[in-house]
Amino acid sequence: MGLLSGKTAIITGASKGIGKGIAETFAKEGANVAFTYLSSVEKGQALEEELKQYGTTVKGYRSDASKMEDAEALVAQVVEDFGGVDIVVNNAGITKDMLLMRMTEEDFTRVIEVNLNSVFNMTKAVQRTFLKQRSGSIVNISSVVGVKGNAGQANYAASKAGIIGFTKSVALELGSRNIRCNAIAPGFIETEMTAVLDEKTVQQWRDGIPLKRGGSPEDVANACLFLASDMSGYITGQVMNVCGGMLT
Ligand code: NAD
């Protein structure tokens, strides 16, 4: 019996990186997994195939998390396909890094739409289902940058800080219905994306972290597993930093 046996989870943006790690960990722990991707149909199908080995129901959906109508259609389809939803992990996110001087209004707005509006969209879309069943766990992927800010990432930091305020408010509003909402703030997580960076720069980042290494998608996925499962049944409105001690 896994920690998520019998539960159905929606994970947004799971075609690669941290989202993929979360989907793998959840399936291993017995969850039925409905995951989304934006453009890479091939990667979505490959992940669907990979996750089938754990013996639970798995399905990928092409869905743009920044669009309310997509979020509503997704939740309706997942409820039809899986018979319900117990967990939502809002992981989809993008960066458009730029010093404020050169940041366009479009760079700012798009990052807010994908990173923050997406969390609002999915929470609104799943709310009725959670209220009806009087249970549910929402895990929002923020960032240490949302906690402490970062030069060159004003748009991203604003979106990730927004997620934290939203998370705490939803926890207060829906706690009486046994719906929990928490956030994870990952630090420097090494993914395909960081693998292309200059090794010397990456090593400098690692050296600055108390645990002396970058995190892995599994490190984030394990925290996510805890917050999604009944193990964290008395925890809501919290931000868990998964950052090797970067924030103390
Ligand atoms: P990634 O770029 O590897 O993956 C992002 C995923 O989001 C992809 O699957 C992509 O298809 C999806 N996505 C993007 N826009 C979307 C949209 N409009 N609708 C649906 N899906 C969409 O990035 P990652 O490093 O795995 O990051 C995952 C999350 O973790 C993001 O929210 C990111 O901000 C956060 N995070 C990452 C780090 C890190 O160091 N990698 C640190 C802190 C927080």
Side-chain angles (χ1 to χ4, degrees):
M1 281 279 281
L3 282 172
L4 300 180
S5 287
K7 293 191 192 281
T8 295
I10 297 180
I11 304 161
T12 65
S15 56
K16 60 191 167 98
I18 293 171
K20 187 177 175 197
I22 296 169
E24 287 167 345
T25 297
F26 278 24
K28 270 186 214 164
E29 287 293 333
N32 299 315
V33 174
F35 68 88
T36 73
Y37 52 90
L38 183 58
S39 49
S40 180
V41 179
E42 241 168 62
K43 279 189 185 159
Q45 282 169 348
L47 183 62
E48 215 179 273
E49 277 310 305
E50 183 201 322
L51 296 183
K52 278 185 184 153
Q53 63 178 299
Y54 303 112
T56 63
T57 309
V58 175
K59 198 163 174 198
Y61 300 83
R62 188 168 186 176
S63 183
D64 185 342
S66 71
K67 296 206 172 104
M68 178 60 95
E69 58 273 27
D70 277 25
E72 280 171 347
L74 171 73
V75 171
Q77 193 59 52
V78 170
V79 168
E80 197 182 313
D81 294 347
F82 289 74
V85 188
D86 305 286
I87 299 157
V88 171
V89 179
N90 286 306
N91 166 78
I94 57 166
T95 53
K96 283 188 185 292
D97 300 353
M98 199 80 68
L99 290 176
L100 190 56
M101 189 76 83
R102 278 196 235 119
M103 189 180 288
T104 63
E105 190 184 350
E106 205 209 325
D107 292 332
F108 187 83
T109 308
R110 188 62 194 147
V111 168
I112 298 287
E113 279 174 356
V114 175
N115 296 4
L116 183 56
N117 289 34
S118 60
V119 177
F120 169 73
N121 297 343
M122 283 302 298
T123 307
K124 282 284 282 186
V126 82
Q127 185 180 11
R128 193 170 306 146
T129 306
F130 280 4
L131 284 172
K132 244 194 264 168
Q133 69 198 23
R134 286 196 159 255
S135 72
S137 178
I138 301 167
V139 183
N140 296 323
I141 307 298
S142 176
S143 166
V144 291
V145 168
V147 179
K148 72 178 190 51
N150 195 23
Q153 290 197 303
N155 50 0
Y156 183 77
S159 72
K160 295 298 184 179
I163 287 178
I164 293 173
F166 184 83
T167 299
K168 292 183 177 182
S169 304
V170 168
L172 293 173
E173 274 191 41
L174 301 181
S176 64
R177 312 297 178 90
N178 194 33
I179 298 167
R180 301 184 297 109
C181 185
N182 292 288
I184 291 177
F188 170 51
I189 307 302
E190 300 200 32
T191 61
E192 297 99 315
M193 208 169 62
T194 54
V196 298
L197 297 172
D198 167 46
E199 176 62 20
K200 220 170 132 194
T201 315
V202 172
Q203 194 52 48
Q204 276 170 359
W205 287 348
R206 291 187 191 117
D207 292 342
I209 297 168
L211 285 180
K212 299 295 168 204
R213 66 172 179 90
S216 64
E218 293 70 37
D219 289 322
V220 179
N222 286 334
C224 220
L225 169 63
F226 172 67
L227 291 175
S229 78
D230 296 338
M231 295 280 285
S232 59
Y234 200 50
I235 299 176
T236 193
Q238 304 303 306
V239 182
M240 187 184 277
N241 301 322
V242 181
C243 63
M246 263 163 91
L247 292 183
T248 51

